[in-house]
Amino acid sequence: MSQSEGNLLSRLLQRRVGWMLVRNTVVSTGVFLLGLALLWLLVEQGGMDEVIAAGIGFVTANTMHYALGRKWIFRGTDRALASGYAIFLVNGGIGLVVTMALYAALLRWTPLDYLVARVIVSVFAGLVMFVLNAVWNFRRV
């Protein structure tokens, strides 16, 4: 392990970063549930196409997550609002790639139920996105 990797690992293992991860988990769970509720509302009550509604729910949930990230999870960031949001969406795309790759692998090479596999994958993808946002975007680690 290089010195910079060791330095990053030691920075990530600080108690302060642990509390950021706890706050991130609370926000992630909350916005995911709100996104699902919005999806249901748009499809069941609004008669909207499921794919379009899923896109609206995704963007809404990610926008809320970004706003709460700036104010509560990664307090004190000096990243500009617009560039931070753009980077947050890029990190979300990386998270989507990680999610899809790990999910496909678990479904193909394990006997796990698809819902159990999805929960397991969300933990790993969520950690990847947390680290990317903490280090690269909000620069709080």
Side-chain angles (χ1 to χ4, degrees):
M1 178 179 333
S2 73
Q3 185 174 359
S4 64
E5 289 170 339
N7 187 21
L8 176 59
L9 182 60
S10 66
R11 291 180 2 225
L12 288 171
L13 294 176
Q14 294 176 11
R15 181 178 302 238
R16 172 183 68 82
V17 177
W19 282 113
M20 283 190 283
L21 179 58
V22 168
R23 291 190 301 265
N24 187 75
T25 301
V26 169
V27 170
S28 293
T29 302
V31 299
F32 177 73
L33 293 174
L34 286 172
L36 284 179
L38 179 58
L39 174 62
W40 176 85
L41 185 66
L42 291 172
V43 171
E44 297 298 326
Q45 303 299 312
M48 187 177 284
D49 175 78
E50 292 92 344
V51 174
I52 293 171
I56 292 169
F58 178 82
V59 170
T60 302
N62 273 280
T63 300
M64 291 173 61
H65 193 169
Y66 177 69
L68 290 167
R70 284 190 70 86
K71 293 292 184 190
W72 189 49
I73 301 167
F74 304 107
R75 290 183 278 231
T77 183
D78 59 356
R79 171 76 67 192
L81 186 67
S83 63
Y85 184 61
I87 294 169
F88 193 84
L89 292 178
V90 168
N91 289 344
I94 293 168
L96 179 61
V97 169
V98 169
T99 296
M100 299 306 291
L102 290 177
Y103 188 60
L106 285 179
L107 292 179
R108 180 172 182 159
W109 291 305
T110 73
L112 289 173
D113 178 78
Y114 74 99
L115 293 173
V116 173
R118 180 62 182 93
V119 170
I120 291 168
V121 165
S122 71
V123 171
F124 288 101
L127 287 171
V128 168
M129 291 173 45
F130 171 77
V131 170
L132 287 172
N133 280 309
V135 174
W136 182 41
N137 188 7
F138 294 107
R139 300 181 287 219
R140 300 305 300 152
V141 174

